[in-house]
Amino acid sequence: MKFKYVVVGAGLAGITVAERIATQLHEKVLVIEKRGHIGGNVYDEYDAAGILVQMYGPHTFHTNDKEVFDYICQYCDWHDYQHRVLSYVNGNFVPMPISLETINQLYNMNLSEDEMEGFIESRRVKLDEIKTSEDVVLSQGGRDIYEKFFKYFTIKQWGVDPSQLDKSVISRIPFRKNRDTRYFTDQYQGNPKGGFTKMCQRMLDHPEIKVLLNTDYKEVLKDIQYEKLIYTGPLDYYFDDRLGKLKWRSIRFLFETHDCESYQPAPSTRWPMDYAYTRITEFKKMTGQKSDKTTILKEIPCEGDEPFYTFPTAEWKALAQQYRDMAAQEKNVIFLGRLAEYKYYDMDDVVRRALDVFEEEIR
């Protein structure tokens, strides 16, 4: 087989680059995907109850980048949606991120916007130096907010105490002094009608793009003639774990279908103190679907081989940098995306990065 470009990984980064190569350069591009489907972690499908569910956890597109928004809207009809999250604290659901509404509900008060700043200031812990994620929250929100919203949630999320995590993990705690309870405040928010997989299918629907599923690229690359490789898989896997395996945080997904129209009061709820799971997603509330049944997803962070989150400690950042230095020496290979760069990206950042890489390194 002969292709000018080979893309490893059919997630959002790989699909965006493949689409640009095909539509802008009119060159043949082969996309090789280890899983049995396209879309990476934004993959969604209809379950047995007819509910559109996201198989790797909830994703909501939000951005202030009009160019990125206009780009993806070429390939989907848009469902406007404002994501809202409630956190279960002290037996009640309160809005998250922390806003004036959160503080008033949590402490049964009626503070004004001006009064909120003084209330938060009175609870902050004065520290000489900010070194850890624990220090960040204590210095910005105080001990009660730290323990109710962040301490145990972080332990569940990462398997370590916040005092052991670098301050960059929780670099800033947003305190909204107004009553805005939206989770994101970006100008453009929503999801593709019919789901992300449908959008990805449209992006790949080009005669110059071929997709190979259920395939490890290492098993077939030697039989392919190509000029440039765009790699979006795990950074350590490319180098056969030569320096050791990088640490990733994985997630166990528990789907449940309930014979009721609504399961919880918001699309997403966080559980910082109770139970093993960190959040519950009710998908109908994100997509606008109508049904007399509803499907929810509980997420339990865990150790595992399936990479979801880069591990935010100095040890693993240092190892990742060693791998990045090796990657910089690779000829005719571009390392792109969350896995290949060992860096967390939101969806819009992934698309932005892929568009920039195409313009700067491929076109």
Side-chain angles (χ1 to χ4, degrees), residues 29-66:
V29 54
L30 174 66
V31 180
I32 305 173
E33 171 56 51
K34 200 170 187 177
R35 289 171 170 170
H37 59 75
I38 64 169
N41 287 351
V42 303
Y43 173 73
D44 46 27
E45 63 181 33
Y46 289 90
D47 67 5
I51 307 297
L52 182 64
V53 298
Q54 298 176 336
M55 299 305 293
Y56 301 96
H59 290 80
T60 296
F61 200 94
H62 56 98
T63 188
N64 286 315
D65 190 329
K66 188 176 188 302

Side-chain angles (χ1 to χ4, degrees), residues 67-246:
E67 183 182 353
V68 166
F69 180 69
D70 289 344
Y71 169 76
I72 65 166
C73 282
Q74 296 177 85
Y75 294 100
C76 67
D77 297 317
W78 195 248
H79 169 63
D80 284 319
Y81 163 73
Q82 305 278 327
H83 193 53
R84 282 181 165 81
V85 177
L86 297 177
S87 192
Y88 190 74
V89 177
N90 286 2
N92 295 300
F93 286 110
V94 295
M96 190 72 187
I98 296 169
S99 66
L100 179 58
E101 287 290 305
T102 311
I103 296 299
N104 280 335
Q105 290 180 35
L106 186 65
Y107 297 108
N108 194 26
M109 296 189 298
N110 190 27
L111 298 177
S112 66
E113 293 184 14
D114 292 337
E115 291 169 331
M116 180 180 169
E117 178 60 37
F119 176 80
I120 296 298
E121 180 62 37
S122 70
R123 289 174 168 250
R124 289 175 178 146
V125 177
K126 304 297 187 293
L127 299 173
D128 294 332
E129 190 175 0
I130 308 298
K131 294 182 178 180
T132 69
S133 288
E134 178 182 79
D135 296 340
V136 171
V137 185
L138 289 176
S139 65
Q140 294 185 12
R143 187 163 298 279
D144 193 51
I145 285 176
Y146 166 66
E147 294 190 350
K148 282 184 168 64
F149 290 94
F150 296 99
K151 179 177 181 177
Y152 303 106
F153 186 92
T154 303
I155 291 172
K156 286 196 284 185
Q157 180 71 35
W158 299 109
V160 297
D161 193 89
S163 62
Q164 296 176 258
L165 289 176
D166 186 82
K167 63 182 179 182
S168 63
V169 180
I170 306 177
S171 59
R172 183 179 63 86
I173 305 303
F175 285 101
R176 295 181 187 160
K177 289 189 286 185
N178 58 26
R179 299 181 184 275
D180 187 352
T181 60
R182 295 175 302 163
Y183 196 72
F184 306 112
T185 58
D186 302 72
Q187 182 175 358
Y188 308 103
Q189 298 186 44
N191 287 317
K193 289 183 179 178
F196 285 100
T197 300
K198 185 177 181 180
M199 180 189 80
C200 291
Q201 288 169 340
R202 289 178 176 177
M203 293 173 73
L204 292 172
D205 185 17
H206 192 284
E208 299 293 359
I209 300 176
K210 305 298 178 188
V211 180
L212 197 58
L213 298 177
N214 294 305
T215 304
D216 187 329
Y217 83 100
K218 290 183 179 180
E219 297 174 358
V220 298
L221 198 61
K222 61 183 181 301
D223 300 318
I224 301 170
Q225 295 182 49
Y226 67 95
E227 293 182 19
K228 188 175 285 290
L229 183 74
I230 298 101
Y231 180 78
T232 71
L235 180 57
D236 48 355
Y237 184 71
Y238 178 88
F239 294 103
D240 301 313
D241 302 330
R242 197 180 309 168
L243 304 177
K245 284 183 70 68
L246 284 166

Side-chain angles (χ1 to χ4, degrees), residues 18-27 74-75 206 358-359 363:
E19 183 277 336
R20 290 287 85 184
I21 291 170
T23 60
Q24 301 300 304
L25 303 183
H26 310 289
E27 298 282 2
Q74 296 177 85
Y75 294 100
H206 192 284
F358 171 76
E359 291 293 338
R363 187 196 280 276

Side-chain angles (χ1 to χ4, degrees), residues 306-319:
E306 190 75 17
F308 282 96
Y309 297 106
T310 59
F311 211 82
T313 60
E315 175 187 1
W316 303 108
K317 286 182 178 181
L319 181 58

Side-chain angles (χ1 to χ4, degrees), residues 277-288:
Y277 44 80
T278 52
R279 63 180 171 179
I280 301 177
T281 300
E282 187 171 5
F283 291 103
K284 273 176 29 178
K285 289 182 166 69
M286 296 176 65
T287 62

